[in-house]
Amino acid sequence: MRVIITVALTLVTAIIAGRRILWLVKLIRSGKPAKGRGKDAAPRVVNDAEEVLGQKKLLKWSVPGLAHFFTFWGFLILNLTILEAYGALIISKDFHIPIIGESQVLGFLEDFFGVAVLCGLATFAILRVRNAPARKQRASRFYGSHTGPAWIILIMITLVVLTLFGLRGAQMNAGQFPFGESKWTFASYATAQLFGQGDYNEGLATFFLIAQVAVVMVFLVIVTYSKHLHIATAPINVYFKRLPKGLGPLLPVTDNNGDPIDFADPDSLDEDTVFGKGKIEDFTWKGYLDFATCTECGRCQSQCPAWNTGKPLSPKLLIMDLRDHLFAKAPYLIDGKTAGEGVEPAFSLEGDHGAHVPEAGYPRVEGTNVEQLMRPLVGDAASFGVIDPDVLWSCTTCGACVEQCPVDIEHIDHIVDMRRYQVLIESAFPSEAGVMLRKLESKGNPWGLAPKMREDWIKELDFEVKRANPGEKLGPEIEYLFWVGCAGSLEDRSKKVTKAFAELLNVAGVEFAVLGKEETCTGDSARRLGNEFLFQQLGQQNVEVLNSITRAEPLKIVATCPHCFNTIANEYPQIGGNYEVVHHTQLLAKLVDEGRLTPVEPVDKKVTYHDPCYLGRHNKVYTPPRDVLGAIPSLKSEEMHRCKDRGFCCGAGGARFWMEEKIGKRVNVERTEEALGLDPDLISTACPFCMVMLSDAVTAKKADGDARDDVQVLDVAQILQQSLTAPPAPPAAPEPEPEPEPAPEPVVTS
């Protein structure tokens, strides 16, 4: 009878879960091609080992990370106990795994990880109660998550472990325990003592054997139909992630075959080529895998600058909306359903989608129906869109979501792809951004100023700045081409940084040249906004100029703008530009280390450093700016709570610099308040857009009386320059004028 029950449970589970798994595989494989995802197997295996086996990203959050670490490893180790249970049910009551099955070490490990899993589950329960969305609302990272199914999973895992210890205790008393009556199996021994001796232990063992197999089978079925599907999909998703240093470049727009689109060759495009993602079926199989893998943990949501300032964008809810829409629409995509056939809702968690939080778009239309088929992917509530435009355009592309995601979902790629469709096909985007795009098209810079004005800052220096002319050879004495950028040459505050950096290079004896009016915007803002066509146009113009400059050694470029730095270094290779690029803080740190720049003048002030997103998270440059500040005498540095890979955005990225911030609190104000909370004299950064955003917020705070009048926002280069230049001596007090001698008395003669 035990064998029949076991086999029946297993077959039913295999049929139910197997059908679901096959359906999911079919659905994910129906996505469009994502070429190159399987290349470089060796680093992918290493990364999988670090992130899955080592739980590297989860451990960034110590308490939940440790709880998940022990729960994960508990699952791996306790798989052996499931094998032992099957053996005891089918083969013999005293079954043990060959060779290792009677080892006291194995028995201890199974007990230890069983207890560790229970501790981890208790931790998860406490965290969920403390962060209950019903009480904390948007402040809870679980806001919008499926909290009901999460509790069911916690209960099921608890039952798996409790039935395990019940089984082992009864087996020990019945003489069927493969490890004998040993205190090494401490938890099993304690359970055996609780049960006491008696013939009933054999019956208890049978009960717990069947109970454990039944609980495990039910758990497996629930997993395949819930967010805990990530138990199976996460290792696959992590393996197929992009593997750049940092977050890497945006992916190019691709055609239906997964090949990059060259907008300069329109004849190569098919009639049905889609620019970006306008429907759920436009996403790649990797996108589908991302959606299915979301754990709803809310780490991305808790770090998102848009969400933290009252905007509707939650990276978690965005992925959940896309997933639920995909699952609901799946019968039309892979099962042959048509708009004329009414079907019952299937493959969705209807009625519990985040308790229908207002920020979620999928619940506007739920279930598998014609409305689900016909609804737009991006649209407001009136059009029943899956993703609201306010959600889509709130993103600053800061990368906090991707950095924090423990299963490597690529939120930014999906957001920008949807923006591309809105811009290139629908022409639906914020009007202010349209002004910026027109200026880029007409003048080559987002301010719309004349190209010749890019050289005005040079006139304010007291030394010669060499020019690099397109089509000409660059002299061997030139060490770097200084890419000044639009902000660095045209925006007043940023021009001060440009001059400070140029003067530092001059002091260090570094020979450099600039392109001057031959520079054009790198296209970063256009690309993040979604206008890939304009990005390629601007980028190819710059690549042609840079490639036309000849020299004996490869061209080395230094940039003060992280957005220019990121675009030229990481994205221009997609359009034929391969260069060695460094950020100015990296070069300054190198010059200080080599002794070519020696800070000598004390700067007796307190500074806090703000990490630019496109320098820090996107390119992992955290140390050089801090090394420069650390070399300045008497300068005291203090970190903000949100710094380095958890740094908070200034609000300018993703082309948000050019758009009005109409919803919630301003992101730059939120960040500036955190900085001012440390009572610094200086707020330092290393990005012209961060400079503007932070300066504007500090000015507003000064006007409100919430900041000292002497607080300054300065670039790292400006502070270093202060330490190299002695402050002018105060003018000497004028000597007092001598009192006039009294006039001689007149001589009276008689």
Side-chain angles (χ1 to χ4, degrees):
M1 180 60 70
R2 309 192 326 168
V3 174
I4 294 174
I5 293 174
T6 303
V7 172
L9 283 171
T10 305
L11 285 176
V12 170
T13 301
I15 292 170
I16 297 174
R19 284 187 62 192
R20 176 67 169 179
I21 292 170
L22 289 175
W23 181 85
L24 287 166
V25 170
K26 183 179 179 181
L27 177 60
I28 291 171
R29 285 172 59 88
S30 72
K32 291 191 174 181
K35 293 186 176 180
R37 288 289 184 168
K39 292 182 179 178
D40 304 318
R44 292 184 181 279
V45 170
V46 171
N47 182 72
D48 230 0
E50 290 177 348
E51 293 193 22
V52 178
L53 298 180
Q55 303 277 280
K56 179 180 175 181
K57 295 188 80 170
L58 280 155
L59 288 170
K60 289 182 177 181
W61 293 32
S62 54
V63 173
L66 284 170
H68 197 281
F69 178 88
F70 284 113
T71 302
F72 169 79
W73 275 98
F75 259 83
L76 295 185
I77 299 298
L78 296 183
N79 276 324
L80 296 174
T81 67
I82 298 172
L83 178 60
E84 292 167 351
Y86 266 94
L89 281 167
I90 297 174
I91 300 174
S92 68
K93 294 180 180 179
D94 58 352
F95 171 82
H96 65 269
I97 299 171
I99 303 175
I100 64 172
E102 296 178 304
S103 167
Q104 296 298 316
V105 174
L106 177 61
F108 169 77
L109 286 175
E110 289 176 347
D111 267 31
F112 171 80
F113 278 103
V115 173
V117 168
L118 289 177
C119 293
L121 296 175
T123 302
F124 293 143
I126 292 170
L127 289 172
R128 285 193 170 273
V129 170
R130 290 181 60 185
N131 294 281
R135 185 177 70 256
K136 299 187 72 172
Q137 293 297 309
R138 283 176 56 108
S140 168
R141 64 185 174 99
F142 301 120
Y143 177 87
S145 298
H146 294 99
T147 54
W151 282 108
I152 292 174
I153 289 293
L154 289 180
I155 292 170
M156 292 302 300
I157 300 174
T158 302
L159 289 175
V160 169
V161 179
L162 292 180
T163 55
L164 168 65
F165 284 135
L167 166 63
R168 290 162 77 90
Q171 283 181 323
M172 186 179 289
N173 287 341
Q176 301 170 1
F177 195 45
F179 305 104
E181 192 172 343
S182 169
K183 292 184 179 179
W184 278 94
T185 50
F186 59 96
S188 301
Y189 181 83
T191 308
Q193 297 302 305
L194 181 65
F195 287 163
Q197 296 296 324
D199 295 339
Y200 55 81
N201 278 291
E202 190 167 339
L204 273 177
T206 300
F207 169 77
F208 280 117
L209 275 170
I210 296 174
Q212 184 176 47
V213 170
V215 170
V216 169
M217 295 299 104
V218 173
F219 174 74
L220 288 176
V221 172
I222 292 175
V223 162
T224 59
Y225 283 86
S226 73
K227 75 183 186 68
H228 283 79
L229 182 66
H230 76 269
I231 293 172
T233 58
I236 303 170
N237 204 51
V238 170
Y239 180 84
F240 287 112
K241 68 175 281 191
R242 296 202 279 139
L243 289 175
K245 179 184 177 184
L247 299 186
L250 283 178
L251 296 175
V253 178
T254 55
D255 59 21
N256 294 328
N257 297 316
D259 296 316
I261 291 176
D262 182 1
F263 286 92
D265 184 16
D267 295 335
S268 65
L269 303 179
D270 297 329
E271 290 184 3
D272 58 348
T273 297
V274 177
F275 300 145
K277 304 294 186 280
K279 300 187 295 292
I280 197 68
E281 49 265 46
D282 294 333
F283 286 88
T284 66
W285 63 262
K286 178 57 173 64
Y288 289 175
L289 186 60
D290 271 358
F291 307 155
T293 304
C294 179
T295 70
E296 302 182 19
C297 67
R299 291 189 179 206
C300 58
Q301 180 174 287
S302 71
Q303 302 298 303
C304 177
W307 183 261
N308 277 283
T309 53
K311 296 167 182 63
L313 168 62
S314 158
K316 177 189 71 178
L317 291 175
L318 180 138
I319 296 298
M320 289 170 60
D321 283 339
L322 292 172
R323 177 197 64 197
D324 292 348
H325 176 54
L326 171 65
F327 285 5
K329 198 174 180 179
Y332 296 101
L333 303 181
I334 62 173
D335 294 340
K337 301 294 181 184
T338 63
E341 296 181 27
V343 293
E344 293 296 321
F347 309 121
S348 66
L349 299 167
E350 185 180 7
D352 185 39
H353 185 279
H356 296 92
V357 295
E359 295 84 358
Y362 167 75
R364 293 168 176 171
V365 177
E366 291 189 297
T368 301
N369 45 49
V370 175
E371 290 78 15
Q372 193 71 252
L373 176 66
M374 303 300 292
R375 69 190 300 195
L377 184 66
V378 177
D380 59 15
S383 61
F384 301 100
V386 180
I387 305 298
D388 196 280
D390 285 336
V391 168
L392 190 66
W393 297 109
S394 292
C395 181
T396 67
T397 67
C398 70
C401 50
V402 181
E403 179 71 35
Q404 291 298 323
C405 182
V407 293
D408 289 323
I409 293 171
E410 296 163 351
H411 313 73
I412 292 177
D413 290 344
H414 305 316
I415 289 172
V416 172
D417 268 335
M418 287 187 284
R419 284 183 172 187
R420 285 165 169 167
Y421 186 88
Q422 294 302 303
V423 172
L424 297 174
I425 303 298
E426 299 290 343
S427 295
F429 50 88
S431 58
E432 319 92 75
V435 175
M436 178 268 293
L437 292 176
R438 288 192 293 273
K439 290 178 178 178
L440 282 176
E441 292 169 346
S442 62
K443 298 294 185 180
N445 68 79
W447 278 275
L449 299 177
K452 65 180 181 180
M453 294 182 67
R454 287 180 178 271
E455 300 184 359
D456 286 355
W457 65 273
I458 299 175
K459 303 170 185 175
E460 301 173 23
L461 299 175
D462 58 4
F463 57 89
E464 180 187 2
V465 174
K466 297 179 180 177
R467 305 296 203 281
N469 298 312
E472 296 183 6
K473 186 174 182 180
L474 199 61
E477 75 282 0
I478 303 298
E479 295 182 59
Y480 290 93
L481 176 68
F482 177 17
W483 186 275
V484 182
C486 301
S489 57
L490 299 172
E491 199 276 325
D492 289 340
R493 282 164 287 193
S494 301
K495 284 199 290 185
K496 294 177 182 178
V497 178
T498 301
K499 289 185 290 183
F501 179 59
E503 288 167 355
L504 288 170
L505 293 180
N506 186 56
V507 170
V510 176
E511 293 290 342
F512 68 95
V514 299
L515 284 168
K517 63 182 180 181
E518 300 299 331
E519 266 190 20
T520 299
C521 180
T522 60
D524 165 83
S525 291
R527 192 175 215 197
R528 267 78 197 158
L529 185 72
N531 196 330
E532 186 74 3
F533 173 78
L534 182 55
F535 162 73
Q536 285 196 17
Q537 186 180 52
L538 296 170
Q540 286 169 351
Q541 181 178 338
N542 283 324
V543 168
E544 288 177 9
V545 168
L546 292 172
N547 287 348
S548 73
I549 298 173
T550 58
R551 59 178 285 129
E553 298 177 355
L555 185 64
K556 292 191 292 186
I557 299 173
V558 60
T560 52
C561 176
H563 297 265
C564 296
F565 164 61
N566 179 72
T567 303
I568 298 172
N570 298 327
E571 300 188 344
Y572 277 9
Q574 297 173 353
I575 52 177
N578 295 278
Y579 316 104
E580 180 183 337
V581 189
V582 297
H583 188 252
H584 77 292
T585 57
Q586 292 175 303
L587 180 54
L588 290 177
K590 177 174 178 285
L591 295 174
V592 170
D593 185 60
E594 293 173 349
R596 297 172 70 177
L597 288 175
T598 305
V600 290
E601 293 295 329
V603 179
D604 191 13
K605 295 181 179 180
K606 180 180 178 181
V607 64
T608 187
Y609 175 72
H610 164 79
D611 288 282
C613 299
Y614 274 81
L615 184 63
R617 271 190 296 268
H618 281 265
N619 286 282
K620 300 299 181 187
V621 179
Y622 298 117
T623 303
R626 289 171 170 83
D627 285 347
V628 173
L629 294 175
I632 298 174
S634 300
L635 185 66
K636 297 179 286 293
S637 294
E638 184 174 354
E639 295 283 6
M640 286 180 268
H641 174 69
R642 294 178 289 194
C643 63
K644 299 181 180 178
D645 62 353
R646 293 179 72 172
F648 197 80
C649 182
C650 75
R656 287 295 321 171
F657 186 85
W658 310 103
M659 293 182 252
E660 291 295 329
E661 200 166 347
K662 301 173 183 176
I663 303 174
K665 184 179 182 179
R666 295 184 68 87
V667 176
N668 62 331
V669 171
E670 171 75 11
R671 183 53 164 173
T672 301
E673 287 177 352
E674 183 177 3
L676 293 175
L678 301 177
D679 192 27
D681 302 298
L682 304 173
I683 300 173
S684 181
T685 189
C687 169
F689 294 101
C690 293
M691 280 274 293
V692 173
M693 299 298 281
L694 296 176
S695 296
D696 286 351
V698 167
T699 300
K701 287 293 178 181
K702 288 179 180 178
D704 293 339
D706 295 329
R708 301 195 329 254
D709 289 338
D710 60 344
V711 176
Q712 292 180 283
V713 179
L714 297 176
D715 188 271
V716 170
Q718 291 175 291
I719 302 175
L720 177 61
Q721 187 187 38
Q722 288 183 14
S723 185
L724 293 178
T725 306
E735 295 183 3
E737 295 183 8
E739 294 183 4
E741 295 182 2
E745 294 182 4
V747 178
V748 179
T749 57
S750 58

